[in-house]
Amino acid sequence: MKIAVIGQSLFGQEVYSQLRKEGHEVVGVFTVPDKNGKVDPLGLEAEKDGVPVFKFSRWRAGGQAISDVVAKYQALGAELNVLPFCSQFIPMEVINAPRHGSIIYHPSLLPRHRGASAINWTLIHGDKKGGFTIFWADDGLDTGDILLQKECEILPDDTVSTLYNRFLFPEGIKGMVQAVRLIAEGKAPRLPQPEEGATYEGIQKKETAKLLVKNIQLEDGKMIPASHFFRGEDNTVLELTKAELVTMEAVRTVWKRILPNILEVEDSTDFFKSGAASVDVVRLVEEVKELCDGVELENEDIYMATTFKDFIQLLVRKLRGDDKESECIIDYVEKAVNKLVLQMPHQLFIGGKFVDAEGAKTYDTINPTDGSVICQVSLAQASDVDKAVAAAKDAFENGLWRKISARDRGQLLYRLADLMEEHQEELATIEALDAGAVYTLALKTHVGMSIQTFRYFAGWCDKIQGSTIPINQARPNRNLTLTRKEPIGVCGIIIPWNYPLMMLSWKTAACLAAGNTVVIKPTQVTPLTALKFAELTLKAGIPKGVINILPGSGPLVGQRLSDHPDVRKIGFTGSTEVGKHIMKSCALSNVKKVSLELGGKSPLIIFADCDLNKAVQMGMSSVFFNKGENCIAAGRLFVEDSIHDQFVQKVVEEVRKMKIGNPLDRDTNHGPQNNQAHLQKLIEYCQHGIKEGATLVCGGKQVPRPGFFFEPTVFIDVEDHMFIAKEESFGPVMIISRFASGDVDTVLSRANATEFGLASGVFTRDISKALYISEKLEAGTVFINTYNKTDVAAPFGGFKQSGFGKDLGEAALNEYLRVKTVTFEY
């Protein structure tokens, strides 16, 4: 059958592709014009296949079909129009033209929820059943005869995304293909829609949406709607008309009656500071409603506009009807991956908006599984850093973020954590796609621990407090000294590529809990989860300017953050070499506060009296967890001589069981390395070890397949002077050295003979030995009979050239606070 496909999106692309596989001839595709140079997926796919593609900006003008457009359509000779998802108004001259007419997909069980936002309304109304309808188009709004319907149960935790990805997208594609098959076979029904049970709802807007936090109270007692909070304060002052000025004076008279102790009601007069009580709020609301013919006014409005000037501005906006919210526009890149439709922002995030970089500069972000381009991402420039810092500074000094109560700040962070949990499968899939993280690990650790981190620090927001201190001064000794813990201001956070979302969360959650604002630089090779996180901050109600995210290069964006005079703190995770450079820049610019989590060469000491099977299992995890791209990975294993050979044998057996493959496959143990440059460094690292005389037991090579895969590797006979004994691989390379049986102090000396001190470990059944070694090891974390067991409540950070400062735990808050001492004499 000759088919014209009219529509857009990934859904339209999939329907188009499946119809061609069924053997139908798609004679033309009609889709939307390119937006900012971005081609719609449906049009892009059709162009690849050589199918004629038409991109009309409109089909009608002045209420009439455009004759040239209709003529181009009719020239194709379509026998059926298929509209899988179409946002344009198609004239009846086109709808009725084909021999078989036109069929349309609608994501509800018609006649229920006719109109736009049907999925939203299915959830808002608490429907027990959802689904989709394919119907014959007519001149009504979703009123045509039904061809096919499929339904599903609405689960208690369903969101628009889960319902769409679980049922409406995959089953909808199958349903469209089935509908066309029925038409081709002459078996397609036409069932009139019943009017009983028919509903129509308009587009769901934010003012009709339910919010977890209805209002937020500021420190001065003023309240604001939580749904308005992310926009910051609206400083636009309305110019009043003559009629509105008359209303203002009438309202002023009402204020005078309610506030008899005030001689004159001025613009700055505060309703509550002038003596008003809660009963006066009710009186003011009712009098103003009577004065203004029943204007919609609630008690909460008085708390949100406590001064006369603010109240008049609020009232006039209500009378004009322009107190509605504006939508945030996000230009997504969409991909159908892992049985989901990913919607990924790809622009910079500055001041609560997604924007292009200066000069519209972009770069390709690469999928390490096959080396393909995922999408183009905006590439931040130095001027973009200045804009982001200015937005963060304004939000800190003038915005609402610093004025709200600490408890309300915590509620917003809890809300953000909830949203991250709602989108955890999407976030984990993006981590797998962009960073090569094994999906199951990404779900549990990359994303799971990120959610836990925000919840943990949300709970700290209203527990940050100073102390009172007795001081000994000259008589009379009537003094009071107290300390205040205050936010620092604008913070810069520079994160690595091994755990893109988790490293962002470790630092950002503590930073925000302390009341700061932030500019985040995700690493250039893994920016996508950070940008998705930015979208979720908008949904959570974090005010504009509090969080800004700039994908870009370290030498440009990271350097400008380190040098910027308005940035007061840098938190960095990365190499020791770069950390030293950042520290120097922070000192020379404005003596910024700095915390650094740098390189490591963590020793793991395995004694003969250990539980050998557990030591093998945890030793494997200590090295190969997250493909070895793990800052606390055991860089060197010291194994007691008497069990060395048995330990190596068991490790090699386990390595050979590991499945290397696509990180989205649920049975994959070992995914690709993060990027091409790192893969090459691992190859050179292993060649260096062989050249110096270490014994390569297994691995050491790139896996012969597309992508950046490297074999899990084991070296033995590694001596202390060798390069691989001293330098970090940051990859799946196990370095094993022997030590003489019973020689505890010598192996301790060897373990500490490094300039790094991030983590360490010991396996032994002897508790006295374990405690002795934990005391002597020069590392920020010591694991005993376990490894990689970090927790959001336990401080994390290194010694020596592994850096200073802590992430996680209460200690992390101190990295983003300053202490002020205040002394009174009375």
Side-chain angles (χ1 to χ4, degrees), residues 328-522:
C328 175
I329 299 172
I330 303 176
D331 181 25
Y332 294 110
V333 171
E334 291 189 346
K335 282 191 176 294
V337 182
N338 197 28
K339 299 181 181 179
L340 300 170
V341 179
L342 301 180
Q343 290 188 314
M344 299 179 288
H346 61 97
Q347 297 167 291
L348 312 183
F349 185 67
I350 300 175
K353 296 179 181 179
F354 286 96
V355 296
D356 288 337
E358 182 74 25
K361 291 185 180 294
T362 62
Y363 70 97
D364 294 336
T365 187
I366 304 298
N367 182 348
T369 300
D370 57 12
S372 64
V373 175
I374 301 171
C375 65
Q376 287 192 326
V377 177
S378 293
L379 181 66
Q381 304 300 299
S383 58
D384 296 311
V385 178
D386 294 341
K387 294 173 187 174
V389 172
K393 184 180 181 184
D394 184 60
F396 181 76
E397 294 180 350
N398 306 311
L400 296 165
W401 182 243
R402 201 174 177 190
K403 298 176 184 178
I404 65 169
S405 69
R407 193 161 298 169
D408 283 333
R409 187 164 66 242
Q411 288 299 317
L412 289 171
L413 296 186
Y414 277 125
R415 173 60 176 155
L416 178 57
D418 290 344
L419 283 164
M420 292 170 72
E421 189 168 51
E422 287 178 24
H423 291 264
Q424 61 183 333
E425 293 181 351
E426 190 174 4
L427 290 166
T429 302
I430 296 173
E431 288 279 79
L433 192 70
D434 201 26
V438 172
Y439 174 75
T440 50
L441 176 65
L443 201 59
K444 177 182 180 296
T445 302
H446 290 235
V447 179
M449 195 172 187
S450 299
I451 296 165
Q452 292 174 24
T453 302
F454 271 97
R455 287 197 173 127
Y456 174 80
F457 282 108
W460 267 111
C461 287
D462 61 354
K463 300 170 188 68
I464 298 170
Q465 55 197 17
S467 57
T468 57
I469 304 168
I471 62 171
N472 186 19
Q473 287 290 347
R475 297 178 188 279
N477 192 18
R478 292 190 297 274
N479 302 292
L480 173 64
T481 294
L482 57 88
T483 59
R484 292 172 51 91
K485 291 186 177 180
E486 300 178 343
I488 296 171
V490 179
C491 300
I493 289 177
I494 303 171
I495 55 177
W497 44 254
N498 57 328
Y499 295 103
L501 183 64
M502 193 172 80
M503 292 294 98
L504 178 153
S505 300
W506 280 20
K507 298 183 188 303
T508 304
C511 177
L512 296 178
N516 299 286
T517 58
V518 65
V519 179
I520 302 169
K521 192 204 88 65

